[in-house]
Amino acid sequence: MKFMGMILFILFSALSAQVTSANHTLSEGLSLSSEKPEDVLTSPNGVFSAGFYSVGDNAYCFAIWFASRPSRIQDHTVVWMANQDQPVNGRKSKLSLLRTGNIILTDAGEFTVWETNTISFSSLELHLYDTGNLVLRTLGGENLWESFDFPTDTLLPQQLLTRSTKLVSSRSQTNYSSGFYKLLFDNDNVLNLLYDGAELSSLYWPPPWLMPVLAGRFVYNSSRIAVLDSFGNFSSSDKFTFSSADYGKLLHRRLTLDYDGNLRLYSWDEEGEMWVVSWQALQAPCNIHGVCGANGICSYVPGIGRNCSCLPGYKMINHTDWSKGCEPELNLSFGKSKFHFLQLSHIDFYGYDYNISYNYTLDQCKQLCLELADCKAFQYSFSTTKGNSDCYPKILLMNGNRVPSFEGSFYLRVPEKNLLSNANLAEEIGLNCSSEGLLLLERVYLKSRVNKTVKFMLWFVCGLGGLEIVGIFLVWCRLMRTSKNSTADKQGYLPAITGFRKFTYSELKKATKGFTEEIGRGAGGIVYKGVLADNRVAAIKQLHEVNEGADLFQAEVSIIGRLNHINLIEMWGYCAEGKHRLLVSEYIEHGSLADNLSSNSLDWKKMFEIALGTAKGLSYLHEECLEWVLHCDVKPENLFLDSNYQPKVADFGLSKLRSRVETDNSSFSRMRGTRGYMAPEWVFKLPITSKVDVYSYGIVVLEMVTGKDATKGVQVINSGGEPQHKRLVLWVREKKNRVASTKSWLEETIDPRLKGKYDIGKMETLIVVALQCAEEEKDARPSMRQVVETLLAQENDLQ
Ligand SMILES: *[C@@H]1O[C@H](CO)[C@@H](O)[C@H](O)[C@H]1NC(C)=O
Ligand SMILES: *[C@@H]1O[C@H](CO)[C@@H](O)[C@H](O)[C@H]1NC(C)=O
Ligand SMILES: *[C@@H]1O[C@H](CO)[C@@H](O)[C@H](O)[C@H]1NC(C)=O
Ligand SMILES: *[C@@H]1O[C@H](CO)[C@@H](O)[C@H](O)[C@H]1NC(C)=O
Ligand SMILES: *[C@@H]1O[C@H](CO)[C@@H](O)[C@H](O)[C@H]1NC(C)=O
Ligand SMILES: *[C@@H]1O[C@H](CO)[C@@H](O)[C@H](O)[C@H]1NC(C)=O
Ligand SMILES: *[C@@H]1O[C@H](CO)[C@@H](O)[C@H](O)[C@H]1NC(C)=O
Ligand SMILES: *[C@@H]1O[C@H](CO)[C@@H](O)[C@H](O)[C@H]1NC(C)=O
Ligand SMILES: *[C@@H]1O[C@H](CO)[C@@H](O)[C@H](O)[C@H]1NC(C)=O
Ligand SMILES: *[C@@H]1O[C@H](CO)[C@@H](O)[C@H](O)[C@H]1NC(C)=O
């Protein structure tokens, strides 16, 4: 790493030597003219330039941009603008440093459109630093004004975001004027993303339905400072921090609030000559507010992006601008005509509830909405934790989001006479995820490889948990990358796969000393321990031999490499040569949960942390991470513990690679899990959803706290005096139901090796949650996110 830094440093020095002829400073009494393209300030290292930047037809803004490769990139990446909301004429406009100390930007030689309002009696100069900071300083070195104090949409390394500064997105990809999204510290000291539209505004990050504390934010530090360093570490005074995917490398970086409302960290890839995304705030782009305007619904199509549509009976207001939303096609004056409701599934409209009525029947909810003059629709959802349904009448329909995993229903109020049908919508959403489809499509997929039609992709999202789609997405990215003028190229919306690389077979053979040290064996292949050339200890999994193309494998595996979460095993690379298919990941010294359970090395605190961490990892797989990646084989053998007993989920996404192999052997079995942990859906050939992982998770937790083996079950003596095996989950459930007092059912259930050393309240919650997770009926199980929230609430109770 240090060595790389040195090389970069030398490169920079060489580069700066070349450009010393350019001007770094503007002296007092001089100006830069919009008419002369050579009137540009350049930082000593040649990375940044400041000057007039064309933003439209004869329209210019005074800006700072990345200029490290001036000759090859036409569209520079702008990092700061003085007058983005008031561009100036290309003729006779100039930026002048007056002798009074003020910097003014004049339009067409007449109006001042921007100024710094600085006054000084000593001599001044305007200097562009290597960091990208444009500074007005006295010759004595005192700073009077700096562009870092007035950011636009980008924060550069070392630039502080403070209580008085904020990032504001641009309006669109081509329109640099101020847009609707802001990054700022709110009054509660929390760093937030805000949608600040023409009429409405709302916070959307951290997730608004979570208290800041539950989102990991600290609300009691009023200093309100955040900063990014050159190595890719961002930290904020509310304790929000992240490290980029390529953390540790000295690269050009920028944190930009993009016009689409997402906050992204980009790093400059010298080789590819483009920006790559090395972190982003929101993985599900439809969770950004204001995307499709009022009455619009946002859908996320992996590989294509988000797509807006209107509610049935509504039409787009401005055909070039989705933020304006949709309006009713007919005059729907509520109150006069008779109404009924149109049910739409998997649609969530966040916020703007009139009030929330708990434990309402559907009829009560309909009645309530009809009684309210401005009730446009209502959301009706079943709460698994409470066992009843809640009613949310909506006065405005904002932030519409189509979420396949969302189980509540949305009821749109429509006039009775209106002959609306939900046929169109049903077709789009109600994709059949039946098991037969799954099997069939898998074969089709094998033959046709990359089929790009959207519907096809949606099938896969449903059936297979999205891996394929993302695979296609990557292939698509690669296609895009090769076509020179693509927008993806310029925008650099390509995932960073830094750190994740391809190994040669001989490299891995050497690392494992000829595949000698076997450390595990599973359905997918054999795992060996190895030491890579850079001395990292790795777990190297040799998958069974396959016939499918290396490209496809590569595409799929690259996805696995992109998944990045503290509770997931870190993937380092893969190998695809001839028939060899190998995966390289970090090696975890402490072994798997299964090892730890059998050696009895876990105390209660560790158990709780393991339960929580595993839930977080799975929740990331299911919800945050490009949506709906299923694991399909959650079991103690696949959960590893690091030196702090933080769990790390392994083998995610591999179920897919494995089933392909089994198809080739023509003994394909649809069952992917491991007996004892498998949800009933597999057995009964019901649709497979993320709830299969929830089930397995429940069993793992029960196994951990009871100390009993789920694959063997529990031996009990039945009424006839005969010994009998009972499934673990049934055994716990019966204990809970049979024994009246809380204390004694826990005592009878929990592993005696814990010797009663646990928090009774937390333990009870944990087991109750685990039992809910292991419900036979998938709809009765909570989502992984709900599990995380419940456990986090418990954890915070303690403090
Ligand atoms: C630098 O500034 C001087 C005047 O201050 C000007 O004559 C010269 O052209 C500038 N050089 C460049 C490369 O812009
Ligand atoms: C950019 O957007 C602003 C605000 O919506 C608008 O007033 C302006 O006309 C737009 N500029 C261009 C060049 O489209
Ligand atoms: C990033 O910076 C914060 C604050 O300085 C520090 O606590 C954290 O450990 C750093 N992260 C990494 C990966 O270095
Ligand atoms: C508040 O945050 C700042 C910046 O992260 C840090 O330097 C300071 O020590 C924090 N103060 C408290 C009281 O935690
Ligand atoms: C996007 O939505 C429109 C309806 O607004 C639909 O016609 C179109 O097919 C969708 N595109 C994709 C890629 O899903
Ligand atoms: C739609 O929006 C664009 C840009 O904001 C604007 O120029 C145009 O006039 C609008 N069209 C209509 C029909 O309102
Ligand atoms: C809709 O109908 C109501 C009464 O029926 C009328 O007052 C209103 O002006 C109409 N609105 C439009 C946009 O036609
Ligand atoms: C919600 O508002 C309706 C109408 O005002 C009222 O009847 C109902 O009791 C309210 N529900 C709650 C939970 O306050
Ligand atoms: C919900 O309401 C029904 C009937 O109004 C009642 O029997 C039931 O106990 C309520 N459930 C809860 C959890 O309050
Ligand atoms: C889903 O599958 C079932 C049974 O195979 C079939 O009856 C139904 O029409 C299908 N629905 C759709 C939307 O294709």
Side-chain angles (χ1 to χ4, degrees):
M1 216 67 93
K2 286 267 153 56
F3 183 63
M4 277 297 291
M6 280 292 290
I7 291 182
L8 272 174
F9 180 76
I10 292 166
L11 278 177
F12 281 157
S13 315
L15 196 63
S16 53
Q18 277 174 11
V19 293
T20 40
S21 58
N23 286 344
H24 315 313
T25 54
L26 180 71
S27 309
E28 229 171 44
L30 298 180
S31 51
L32 298 170
S33 160
S34 63
E35 292 180 22
K36 295 190 216 145
E38 70 279 8
D39 263 8
V40 168
L41 298 181
T42 304
S43 61
N45 62 5
V47 172
F48 294 98
S49 291
F52 284 91
Y53 190 87
S54 167
V55 296
D57 227 9
N58 194 30
Y60 289 81
C61 287
F62 190 77
I64 301 174
W65 60 87
F66 267 102
S68 53
R69 302 273 163 148
S71 54
R72 307 211 202 155
I73 301 180
Q74 262 92 55
D75 288 293
H76 293 291
T77 304
V78 173
V79 296
W80 181 78
M81 273 188 176
N83 56 320
Q84 67 273 25
D85 288 320
Q86 211 175 338
V88 294
N89 200 304
R91 296 209 11 100
K92 286 193 180 166
S93 295
K94 55 186 183 177
L95 180 96
S96 318
L97 172 52
L98 305 181
R99 294 198 184 277
T100 58
N102 200 4
I103 305 176
I104 60 167
L105 179 60
T106 46
D107 186 10
E110 291 178 32
F111 320 102
T112 300
V113 301
W114 178 86
E115 59 186 324
T116 55
N117 290 315
T118 40
I119 300 175
S120 174
F121 299 108
S122 46
S123 293
L124 296 175
E125 59 180 11
L126 186 62
H127 185 88
L128 183 59
Y129 281 89
D130 285 349
T131 52
N133 196 3
L134 186 66
V135 177
L136 180 63
R137 65 181 187 191
T138 63
L139 298 183
E142 191 200 343
N143 291 357
L144 244 70
W145 175 93
E146 50 192 296
S147 63
F148 268 18
D149 288 342
F150 302 89
T152 48
D153 64 350
T154 296
L155 200 70
L156 290 170
Q158 273 95 54
Q159 181 177 7
L160 295 181
L161 189 73
T162 66
R163 60 171 61 235
S164 58
T165 60
K166 57 176 180 282
L167 299 188
V168 180
S169 69
S170 60
R171 186 67 176 78
S172 74
Q173 202 167 336
T174 49
N175 186 337
Y176 288 92
S177 63
S178 300
F180 298 132
Y181 297 101
K182 292 180 178 161
L183 174 76
L184 45 81
F185 281 102
D186 207 347
N187 290 337
D188 60 356
N189 299 322
V190 171
L191 189 62
N192 280 301
L193 284 173
L194 169 74
Y195 165 69
D196 192 7
E199 281 148 28
L200 303 167
S201 70
S202 52
L203 298 170
Y204 59 94
W205 179 85
W209 58 84
L210 268 186
M211 305 227 308
V213 171
L214 294 185
R217 304 303 184 90
F218 181 69
V219 297
Y220 304 113
N221 186 332
S222 311
S223 59
R224 299 190 196 169
I225 284 181
V227 67
L228 171 72
D229 71 19
S230 305
F231 296 104
N233 187 6
F234 179 88
S235 63
S236 153
S237 56
D238 66 355
K239 295 195 177 164
F240 170 72
T241 74
F242 70 80
S243 302
S244 65
D246 49 10
Y247 174 74
K249 294 198 184 131
L250 188 59
L251 299 171
H252 296 312
R253 298 176 188 277
R254 64 185 169 97
L255 184 70
T256 301
L257 180 54
D258 283 317
Y259 69 90
D260 65 359
N262 212 342
L263 181 66
R264 296 186 177 89
L265 179 66
Y266 292 88
S267 25
W268 179 252
D269 174 11
E270 294 277 343
E271 234 171 79
E273 293 186 358
M274 62 180 173
W275 291 101
V276 293
V277 178
S278 51
W279 176 85
Q280 61 183 353
L282 290 107
Q283 302 296 344
C286 286
N287 288 343
I288 293 167
H289 284 181
V291 173
C292 300
N295 309 313
I297 305 168
C298 177
S299 332
Y300 176 57
V301 185
I304 289 179
R306 56 191 190 187
N307 189 19
C308 292
S309 52
C310 288
L311 280 167
Y314 286 75
K315 65 177 195 301
M316 215 176 151
I317 292 177
N318 182 328
H319 280 275
T320 63
D321 188 358
W322 267 108
S323 73
K324 301 266 186 333
C326 311
E327 62 190 358
E329 272 165 358
L330 306 168
N331 184 354
L332 300 180
S333 55
F334 289 119
K336 295 265 166 62
S337 42
K338 288 202 160 170
F339 291 96
H340 70 164
F341 292 94
L342 185 61
Q343 182 187 357
L344 307 170
S345 317
H346 307 294
I347 296 220
D348 183 23
F349 277 84
Y350 182 78
Y352 303 97
D353 307 319
Y354 175 78
N355 64 13
I356 304 174
S357 299
Y358 299 106
N359 195 12
Y360 258 44
T361 63
L362 185 57
D363 281 336
Q364 283 174 311
C365 195
K366 284 182 176 169
Q367 201 51 45
L368 174 57
C369 184
L370 290 177
E371 281 164 10
L372 299 170
D374 50 2
C375 175
K376 300 210 165 46
F378 66 88
Q379 198 95 46
Y380 188 70
S381 49
F382 181 73
S383 156
T384 41
T385 41
K386 285 183 294 172
N388 58 38
S389 292
D390 302 331
C391 170
Y392 306 78
K394 302 278 177 187
I395 51 169
L396 268 178
L397 302 178
M398 289 294 293
N399 312 321
N401 189 353
R402 175 171 296 150
V403 190
S405 60
F406 180 74
E407 276 159 11
S409 279
F410 175 81
Y411 291 82
L412 181 66
R413 185 177 181 180
V414 290
E416 220 159 45
K417 287 191 291 272
N418 204 330
L419 293 174
L420 279 175
S421 88
N422 57 355
N424 295 338
L425 238 78
E427 198 195 342
E428 256 183 277
I429 312 161
L431 293 158
N432 244 339
C433 304
S434 72
S435 52
E436 269 56 48
L438 184 74
L439 200 66
L440 183 78
L441 276 161
E442 201 150 30
R443 291 210 196 92
V444 172
Y445 183 64
L446 267 178
K447 276 194 227 111
S448 65
R449 290 281 148 80
V450 183
N451 184 331
K452 292 206 202 81
T453 74
V454 174
K455 215 171 213 169
F456 200 67
M457 295 171 107
L458 283 173
W459 270 96
F460 274 110
V461 175
C462 271
L464 299 176
L467 257 171
E468 271 80 354
I469 318 300
V470 191
I472 294 172
F473 173 48
L474 278 204
V475 171
W476 177 77
C477 279
R478 216 172 297 141
L479 293 175
M480 294 300 282
R481 208 185 291 197
T482 47
S483 77
K484 255 302 158 215
N485 293 328
S486 72
T487 50
D489 217 21
K490 280 184 207 140
Q491 287 301 303
Y493 282 16
L494 297 174
I497 316 175
T498 338
F500 185 78
R501 71 177 191 93
K502 186 172 181 172
F503 291 87
T504 63
Y505 187 68
S506 60
E507 248 180 305
L508 296 183
K509 196 167 173 187
K510 196 168 152 218
T512 55
K513 301 204 184 81
F515 300 103
T516 44
E517 198 178 336
E518 184 178 323
I519 52 174
R521 193 177 271 262
I526 304 172
V527 189
Y528 301 92
K529 187 173 172 178
V531 181
L532 302 179
D534 55 10
N535 287 328
R536 288 185 296 175
V537 183
I540 298 172
K541 182 167 204 166
Q542 186 161 36
L543 302 175
H544 297 310
E545 290 187 355
V546 278
N547 294 321
E548 50 132 7
D551 273 0
L552 195 60
F553 176 80
Q554 212 156 305
E556 285 178 352
V557 149
S558 307
I559 301 310
I560 302 176
R562 284 190 53 203
L563 307 182
N564 181 358
H565 188 275
I566 186 162
N567 295 115
L568 296 183
I569 290 270
E570 197 177 318
M571 300 300 296
W572 289 343
Y574 66 96
C575 164
E577 261 177 38
K579 289 195 167 191
H580 302 298
R581 299 285 179 273
L582 297 100
L583 295 169
V584 183
S585 66
E586 63 177 326
Y587 174 75
I588 304 284
E589 290 290 345
H590 267 69
S592 69
L593 176 61
D595 302 336
N596 280 267
L597 283 177
S598 57
S599 69
N600 189 27
S601 51
L602 300 177
D603 60 20
W604 156 245
K605 189 164 174 287
K606 288 170 190 158
M607 285 185 183
F608 192 83
E609 288 302 315
I610 292 168
L612 177 58
T614 306
K616 283 182 184 167
L618 290 175
S619 164
Y620 171 85
L621 281 182
H622 289 171
E623 292 182 31
E624 288 167 60
C625 135
L626 289 166
E627 309 206 330
W628 324 301
V629 173
L630 308 188
H631 187 292
C632 295
D633 198 8
V634 177
K635 58 180 174 178
E637 286 78 7
N638 280 336
L639 300 174
F640 287 84
L641 305 180
D642 73 4
S643 48
N644 297 320
Y645 289 91
Q646 268 289 332
K648 288 182 182 276
V649 180
D651 259 13
F652 44 87
L654 294 195
S655 58
K656 188 63 220 71
L657 299 174
R658 196 154 71 228
S659 67
R660 173 90 34 75
V661 179
E662 283 156 6
T663 323
D664 287 351
N665 296 346
S666 74
S667 62
F668 181 73
S669 124
R670 216 176 67 86
M671 310 240 187
R672 297 245 185 80
T674 302
R675 200 165 288 285
Y677 306 95
M678 239 169 11
E681 293 96 292
W682 292 112
V683 182
F684 297 114
K685 296 198 172 7
L686 294 171
I688 300 305
T689 66
S690 61
K691 293 293 176 70
V692 301
D693 288 347
V694 176
Y695 182 91
S696 310
Y697 169 84
I699 302 290
V700 169
V701 170
L702 290 179
E703 187 169 87
M704 186 167 66
V705 296
T706 59
K708 308 226 183 295
D709 186 340
T711 55
K712 299 206 182 86
V714 185
Q715 199 162 44
V716 291
I717 310 293
N718 70 9
S719 50
E722 302 278 304
Q724 184 197 352
H725 281 280
K726 185 161 253 163
R727 280 169 52 217
L728 177 61
V729 53
L730 290 183
W731 179 75
V732 177
R733 196 166 283 143
E734 280 176 14
K735 285 273 179 221
K736 178 171 178 284
N737 292 343
R738 191 143 0 108
V739 186
S741 106
T742 308
K743 213 169 156 212
S744 52
W745 84 259
L746 283 176
E747 268 170 13
E748 285 188 19
T749 319
I750 286 160
D751 190 347
R753 291 178 295 183
L754 275 176
K755 302 199 183 74
K757 286 188 194 141
Y758 52 84
D759 177 315
I760 293 181
K762 276 170 92 176
M763 179 63 96
E764 193 185 2
T765 310
L766 185 59
I767 299 187
V768 169
V769 168
L771 284 175
Q772 268 173 10
C773 289
E775 284 283 352
E776 300 292 299
E777 178 51 48
K778 79 172 169 50
D779 293 335
R781 298 175 209 148
S783 69
M784 247 21 258
R785 189 176 82 204
Q786 286 168 321
V787 173
V788 173
E789 282 168 16
T790 312
L791 296 186
L792 273 177
Q794 283 293 314
E795 194 178 45
N796 286 298
D797 271 0
L798 263 195
Q799 289 160 2

